Amino acid sequence: MIAMASACGPAPATVVDDSDSTTVAPTSTRTPRIVDDSGRPDITFDPCLDLPDEVMSAAGYDAAHKEFADMPMGSYTFLGCSYKGTIHIPGVLARYGLIVMAGNASLEEEFKKNGDVATPTTVNGRPALLEVGTNGNDECTYVLQTDFGIVLFNRLYHKDHTGPVPPSEWCFGLEDFIGTVEPLLGN
C-alpha cells in the first residue's frame, strides 16, 4: 500500500494505492478558516484545501490558479473555491468554470430555496440535489448533504459559439466527477 499526501494546505486528503485500484481517503478534521455565531455546525470540509490538486487537474480544472471564494453571511457561512477548466468532449471544446462551496445550511433549506429547479437524487448513496439552470442558462449544480450542512458543485458552461447550448450539455460529465470526489467530503 502506497500513501501520498497532496501539497495543498494543512491536513490534505490522502491518495491510497492498493495496487488494484486507487481511492481517495477523506481528510482529517481541522478548524475551519471562517466560523459564524449562528449556532450551526462548523464547516469541516474546505474545498480549496481538501480537494487535491492532482484530482482537480485530472478532471480538467486548473488547480494551480484556484481562488478562495468565501461567503460569511452571519446566519450561515460558505467556504468556497473557484476553478477554471477545459473539458474536452469529442467534437466540441467546452470551457467551464467550477465553484465548490461548503456551507452550514441544510439540504432542506437549499431545496426550499431552489425547489423549482432542483431534483432530489443521490451520489454514491449520499442524499443530494441536482439543480439545472439555478441562476440561468448553461449552469448545472450538484448539492450534496454532509454532517455540517451541504457542499455545492456549481459548473457554468462558457460557450465559445453563437446560439444556445442544449440543456443536455449543461451537466455533461459532471455527475461522474462528483462521484469521484464525493468520498472526500466525509460524512
Side-chain angles (χ1 to χ4, degrees), residues 31-36 41-43 46 69-73 76-80 104:
T31 302
R33 287 183 290 114
I34 299 173
V35 295
D36 57 47
D42 287 342
I43 301 166
D46 190 318
D70 301 329
M71 297 182 183
M73 305 287 202
Y76 55 89
T77 297
F78 280 91
L79 301 179
N104 55 4

Side-chain angles (χ1 to χ4, degrees), residues 33-83:
R33 287 183 290 114
I34 299 173
V35 295
D36 57 47
D37 58 358
S38 67
R40 294 174 183 255
D42 287 342
I43 301 166
T44 56
F45 174 80
D46 190 318
C48 274
L49 302 177
D50 293 332
L51 290 172
D53 288 349
E54 62 272 9
V55 171
M56 297 306 291
S57 294
Y61 296 100
D62 185 359
H65 296 99
K66 62 188 172 188
E67 296 180 13
F68 289 92
D70 301 329
M71 297 182 183
M73 305 287 202
S75 62
Y76 55 89
T77 297
F78 280 91
L79 301 179
C81 195
S82 65
Y83 297 87

Side-chain angles (χ1 to χ4, degrees), residues 137-152:
N137 292 336
D138 309 335
E139 186 175 8
C140 183
T141 304
Y142 274 86
V143 183
L144 283 66
Q145 181 175 304
T146 66
D147 283 348
F148 60 81
I150 56 177
V151 176
L152 296 95

Side-chain angles (χ1 to χ4, degrees), residues 100-179:
V100 183
M101 300 186 70
N104 55 4
S106 70
L107 193 65
E108 293 78 22
E109 289 171 309
E110 179 66 18
F111 185 74
K112 187 175 180 180
K113 176 182 165 192
N114 291 320
D116 57 327
V117 295
T119 303
T121 188
T122 60
V123 175
N124 297 340
R126 182 187 298 264
L129 298 172
L130 170 60
E131 300 175 355
V132 181
T134 305
N135 296 312
N137 292 336
D138 309 335
E139 186 175 8
C140 183
T141 304
Y142 274 86
V143 183
L144 283 66
Q145 181 175 304
T146 66
D147 283 348
F148 60 81
I150 56 177
V151 176
L152 296 95
F153 294 86
N154 175 266
R155 188 181 76 184
L156 180 61
Y157 187 121
H158 299 287
K159 63 183 181 175
D160 53 1
H161 55 79
T162 59
V165 174
S168 62
E169 292 183 25
W170 298 358
C171 297
F172 184 82
L174 187 58
E175 182 176 4
D176 293 336
F177 166 70
I178 303 300

